[in-house]
Amino acid sequence: MKILVPLKRTADPDNANKIKIGAGGAKIETTGLEPKANPFDEYAVEASLRLLENGQTKVRIAGDKLTIASFGPKEAATNIRQALAMGADDGLLFLSDDNALDGDLIARALAKVVEQQMPDLVVLGKQAVDGDSNQVGQILAELLQWPSATFAMSMELSADKKTVIVGREVDGGVIKLRLTLPAVITVDLRIVAPKSVVNHVTPATFTYPDGARFTPLPMIIKAKSKPIVEASLASLGVDTALKSKYLSFALPPARKGGVKVKDVAELVQKLRTEAKVL
Amino acid sequence: MDVLPTDAALTALRAAFSEDLVSFDRDLFGTYGRDWTRVFDPAPCAVARPRSTAEVAAIVGFCATNDIAVVPSGGRTGLAGGAVAARGELVLSLERMRRMDPVDRVAQTVRVQAGAVTEAVHEHCAPHGLTWPVDFASKGSSHVGGNIATNAGGVKVIRYGLTRHWVLGLEVVTAQGQVLSLNGALEKNNTGVDLRQLFIGSEGTLGIITEATLRLSRLPGALDVMLYAVPDLPAVLRLFDAARQGPFTLSAFEFFTDRAAARVRRHRGLEAPFAVEGGCYVLVEAEAADREALEQWAAGLFEQSLVSDGVLAQNRTQAAALWQLREAISESLSGTGVPHKNDVALPIAALAPFCASLDALFAERYPGWEVVLFGHIGDGNLHINVMKPEDLERTEFFARTGEADHALFTLVRAHGGSISAEHGIGLLKKPYLAYSRSPEEIALLRAIKQAFDPRGILNPGKILDA
């Protein structure tokens, strides 16, 4: 079984108060923001590892492989290296300028990567936390004409490894989809809950810690000798023209300060006349 | 002075100041009359909340002539009862005095009033790439004045030293209601005994700090957080030796036992990334210019078998999760049982033999009592928490811990340690002061108190008996 996880280097939106818009609203200034792997992509790596190992013994299933693919500057190798330290086997880095990419181009480029690598499963974060576009997984599945499930909160790989049952949270419950491999799955936060991934190799009694795993230091050292192949985006033979045009960026309006009311009567009156919710 | 204020004094106090400045509202007394210790019942006579040094001087001057004792009050996050007013004192809160002047980037200083909240000072300085490196869990409530009056410690002492190192100048109101301006904003001022230093760590017994010029440090760069597993305390110290030689600046070196981790698991449901049966966890925070070199250093620890397991946080979320394992301990001990807390300091070289004697002491005299150890081991600072056994009554337990403390402090003294590393003496540790200070020292402390506060109106009964 072979899994491909695309991983995006993003500017940390936790530093939201440091976000600045460039002159004329042309783009978001990312200088000064801490770059980090998109957390949803980290969950995709974690969930994929849980499909490929015996969680109890931490032994990987023989013959399986997890490949990481990233598009961006040379520095993105650091983030790929972190996924390798978590347990991925190799990485592909397609060099390009962050501003010369959009969801459509990434999806088309990934379709070429899939042609070359022939994975059984592509697992992606549901969206990147910088642009929040939420497009790549869906467009990729369409281009490949593969079955797909988005916002996965659970995955169960069948013992014969031919199908995956994906749980998706919807209003009022969970909907389960059975996908025949090869397939595209995008994952949500809950995919890294303790019992979210079942592969029929990890004993049913075993419980994972919540969240993406800490990387043991020996693995960080080991990851240094795992291969990361760099190539240009053009080498994939895709049309690099962008379909998304960003017209302008603006910060949301600053919140107005609150007011103190002296009693309940004034509160009710303000809710009626100012907030107009009563 | 250790008598309640007379009715005449209280009447005069009421007449002398507005209710806004000096309040007799009993609803305030419970809040303003105590700190984070819960052993003493608050019973102040009034709560003063001045807005300026002149108002502080006026109130203290009035109290001096009318024999009203004064307890200075900051964020009241202390753990030794230093800010407790249980004997009809006037509580003088500095909370309205929180002005922060503009940061002087070249001198790397900032002048603030005593009531400025520690975290607010951090936020005030951060845009200039600077910080006041006094940092601990209660920074969201604690005041600069309280930090200075208690010479506060915390998690960054190993890198930056105690609060004392980060105070350039002080403005102090004396027990006579006079205003002293000490050292201005000078880095160098070699003109005889440095009076400023006497007020730092005096717990409000010598004067009331109203303003300070703080020395600032550049904000550190990216900090890497690691968690290691080691079998025992000697192994913690071998790792500390290795960390001292490491290719980075050490910014924290904290340890906790698996018992502490088990309490955190029970109370908060936080899991360490690996288990260490019967051993210790060590949290290391480092500022490394070269992360590659840091990783190589860490790899070497495994080759030399100094550690049995270890992780390096890959992002701030993971770093925060590792810090949580350490920072949740205090709360988890109170959340899962009744702890009796001690905060001792020892020379690094004495830590291992001290802990061995401590184990032997409790095994022999208090079998079945759970002793939970954690602390800033890099500073030789151990937090020793004795947990109340289920089958022992609370009063019986605290009676016996009182007796256990004498045995414990005898050990501390024998190993050249201190009975209070960073919590201070206040009321709580006063009975044990003689374990750390000689009769000659205590006589000098009394003479200093007498010189600054002959009538004994400032925080009476704290550190020394009134």
Side-chain angles (χ1 to χ4, degrees):
Chain A
M1 169 113 167
K2 203 171 159 184
I3 300 180
L4 177 72
V5 173
L7 183 135
K8 183 176 183 182
R9 178 182 174 87
T10 56
D12 187 355
D14 287 350
N15 290 333
N17 54 355
K18 290 196 202 160
I19 289 178
K20 293 192 186 80
I21 306 291
K27 63 171 197 163
I28 293 171
E29 286 296 339
T30 50
T31 42
L33 297 182
E34 190 187 336
K36 69 171 189 181
N38 175 33
F40 289 112
D41 296 347
E42 277 183 345
Y43 305 150
V45 174
E46 173 65 35
S48 299
L49 286 167
R50 292 185 190 183
L51 286 175
L52 299 177
E53 70 184 4
N54 180 330
Q56 184 152 340
T57 59
K58 289 281 175 287
V59 173
R60 284 279 299 276
I61 299 164
D64 284 0
K65 192 174 173 199
L66 176 57
T67 298
I68 308 295
S70 195
F71 300 84
K74 250 183 153 23
E75 293 76 37
T78 315
N79 304 91
I80 296 178
R81 197 67 75 189
Q82 285 173 10
L84 299 182
M86 286 173 74
D89 298 289
D90 58 1
L92 306 166
L93 174 55
F94 299 97
L95 294 168
S96 51
D97 181 352
D98 270 332
N99 293 314
L101 296 168
D102 66 8
D104 168 72
L105 173 53
I106 296 281
R108 286 184 287 117
L110 276 175
K112 298 284 186 188
V113 176
V114 168
E115 261 175 42
Q116 292 172 5
Q117 300 287 323
M118 302 208 296
D120 302 286
L121 197 56
V122 182
V123 184
L124 309 89
K126 67 167 183 173
Q127 64 200 54
V129 293
D130 49 1
D132 279 339
S133 301
N134 187 350
Q135 295 174 338
V136 174
Q138 294 89 327
I139 300 175
L140 176 65
E142 176 66 22
L143 292 173
L144 295 171
Q145 290 291 298
W146 284 9
S148 82
T150 52
F151 313 147
M153 53 88 70
S154 69
M155 295 196 282
E156 181 183 348
L157 181 64
S158 64
D160 64 7
K161 302 190 180 187
K162 290 201 160 59
T163 60
V164 178
I165 296 171
V166 174
R168 309 174 69 232
E169 266 181 312
V170 292
D171 287 343
V174 175
I175 188 168
K176 289 199 168 176
L177 304 174
R178 187 194 305 273
L179 311 186
T180 304
L181 300 188
V184 175
I185 298 173
T186 78
V187 299
D188 208 336
L189 170 66
R190 280 175 204 273
I191 199 68
V192 289
K195 297 270 190 189
S196 290
V197 177
V198 175
N199 68 355
H200 296 289
V201 173
T202 298
T205 49
F206 180 76
T207 308
Y208 275 98
D210 204 359
R213 64 194 59 194
F214 284 95
T215 38
L217 270 156
M219 289 286 282
I220 294 172
I221 306 301
K222 224 163 148 190
K224 292 189 192 298
S225 52
K226 291 181 180 178
I228 297 178
V229 178
E230 284 182 17
S232 68
L233 177 61
S235 70
L236 288 170
V238 286
D239 176 4
T240 54
L242 299 183
K243 287 203 182 119
S244 311
K245 271 192 193 140
Y246 290 96
L247 300 179
S248 80
F249 292 88
L251 292 172
R255 276 184 56 174
K256 284 189 209 146
V259 290
K260 276 190 179 169
V261 293
K262 64 176 189 299
D263 53 25
V264 174
E266 189 188 345
L267 174 67
V268 170
Q269 187 246 329
K270 279 195 187 295
L271 287 174
R272 279 220 180 91
T273 58
E274 288 181 27
K276 297 196 165 71
V277 292
L278 289 181
Chain B
M1 202 203 75
D2 195 27
V3 286
L4 291 171
T6 61
D7 288 345
L10 287 177
T11 308
L13 181 66
R14 216 181 271 268
F17 301 99
S18 70
E19 167 70 19
D20 173 63
L21 190 52
V22 178
S23 172
F24 296 86
D25 181 354
R26 299 196 153 268
D27 290 349
L28 299 176
F29 290 0
T31 307
Y32 287 87
R34 66 178 176 185
D35 59 9
W36 275 3
T37 55
R38 288 292 182 262
V39 190
F40 311 98
D41 294 325
C45 70
V47 176
R49 286 174 293 174
R51 290 190 165 82
S52 66
T53 299
E55 285 184 351
V56 175
I59 294 165
V60 175
F62 181 90
C63 290
T65 42
N66 290 276
D67 279 336
I68 300 172
V70 177
V71 174
S73 179
R76 294 182 300 280
T77 57
L79 295 167
V84 167
R87 292 162 167 270
E89 302 96 328
L90 173 140
V91 174
L92 192 145
S93 165
L94 283 304
E95 70 184 10
R96 285 173 172 170
M97 294 176 58
R98 41 179 191 230
R99 191 195 77 240
M100 295 186 277
D101 288 347
V103 171
D104 185 334
R105 277 216 317 223
V106 181
Q108 298 196 336
T109 60
V110 67
R111 183 145 183 102
V112 302
Q113 284 184 312
V117 170
T118 315
E119 195 166 47
V121 175
H122 295 167
E123 285 163 8
H124 182 61
C125 300
H128 304 280
L130 296 170
T131 190
W132 191 48
V134 172
D135 191 3
F136 33 73
S138 59
K139 65 185 170 203
S141 310
S142 74
H143 292 184
V144 166
N147 295 161
I148 296 172
T150 58
N151 191 20
V155 292
K156 300 292 167 75
V157 172
I158 191 169
R159 175 162 183 183
Y160 297 104
L162 293 164
T163 300
R164 186 181 295 286
H165 296 102
W166 300 95
V167 179
L168 283 184
L170 285 183
E171 184 177 75
V172 178
V173 170
T174 67
Q176 294 75 31
Q178 290 161 341
V179 180
L180 300 181
S181 184
L182 303 171
N183 205 53
L186 296 176
E187 186 71 49
K188 292 184 161 181
N189 180 15
N190 203 351
T191 52
V193 172
D194 187 346
L195 294 176
R196 163 189 56 158
Q197 296 297 346
L198 287 179
F199 291 100
I200 303 174
S202 66
E203 301 186 36
T205 60
L206 302 184
I208 297 179
I209 296 163
T210 54
E211 278 194 33
T213 301
L214 307 178
R215 171 200 267 155
L216 305 176
S217 169
R218 283 177 69 155
L219 276 170
L223 296 173
D224 274 306
V225 180
M226 296 156 265
L227 186 75
Y228 290 103
V230 294
D232 51 26
L233 193 71
V236 173
L237 298 171
R238 285 196 294 277
L239 178 56
F240 184 48
D241 184 25
R244 286 284 209 203
Q245 321 282 329
F248 44 72
T249 307
L250 205 51
S251 89
F253 192 92
E254 299 282 315
F255 106 110
F256 50 98
T257 57
D258 66 329
R259 287 178 186 160
R263 294 274 177 175
V264 170
R265 193 180 310 125
R266 258 172 67 192
H267 183 63
R268 291 276 301 269
L270 300 175
E271 284 284 348
F274 43 77
V276 287
E277 287 297 317
C280 301
Y281 292 91
V282 177
L283 184 145
V284 183
E285 187 183 76
E287 182 182 356
D290 177 359
R291 196 167 203 253
E292 194 91 2
L294 175 111
E295 289 172 359
Q296 285 305 330
W297 172 83
L301 300 176
F302 288 88
E303 283 156 20
Q304 302 161 58
S305 304
L306 281 172
V307 297
S308 54
D309 217 331
V311 296
L312 169 62
Q314 296 297 310
N315 50 49
R316 286 187 302 163
T317 315
Q318 285 193 344
L322 292 182
W323 263 116
Q324 269 299 301
L325 294 168
R326 164 67 184 82
E327 290 190 328
I329 294 174
S330 223
E331 168 203 326
S332 299
L333 294 180
S334 307
T336 57
V338 179
H340 169 68
K341 292 170 173 293
N342 267 307
D343 164 48
V344 306
L346 290 144
I348 301 280
L351 277 168
F354 170 81
C355 288
S357 322
L358 181 73
D359 279 347
L361 171 78
F362 275 86
E364 188 197 319
R365 292 208 219 159
Y366 307 96
W369 288 30
E370 183 184 344
V371 180
V372 181
L373 295 180
F374 64 98
H376 321 297
I377 198 90
D379 314 322
N381 187 178
L382 273 184
H383 296 309
I384 303 172
N385 284 255
V386 182
M387 304 300 294
K388 183 182 85 64
E390 295 287 336
D391 55 359
L392 201 60
E393 280 301 317
R394 218 183 145 91
T395 44
E396 165 85 3
F397 173 66
F398 281 115
R400 296 194 65 190
T401 54
E403 149 214 319
D405 281 350
H406 282 287
L408 171 64
F409 294 150
T410 303
L411 270 185
V412 169
R413 179 166 56 189
H415 287 92
S418 165
I419 60 153
S420 187
E422 59 179 9
H423 291 177
I425 296 296
L427 290 173
L428 207 59
K429 299 297 176 196
K430 191 170 63 169
Y432 310 101
L433 185 60
Y435 285 99
S436 280
R437 294 300 195 94
S438 69
E440 295 78 11
E441 279 183 287
I442 291 174
L444 280 170
L445 292 178
R446 280 198 181 284
I448 293 170
K449 170 75 176 171
Q450 179 67 25
F452 279 81
D453 181 17
R455 300 176 76 96
I457 69 151
L458 287 179
N459 221 4
K462 310 293 162 59
I463 306 180
L464 302 167
D465 283 328

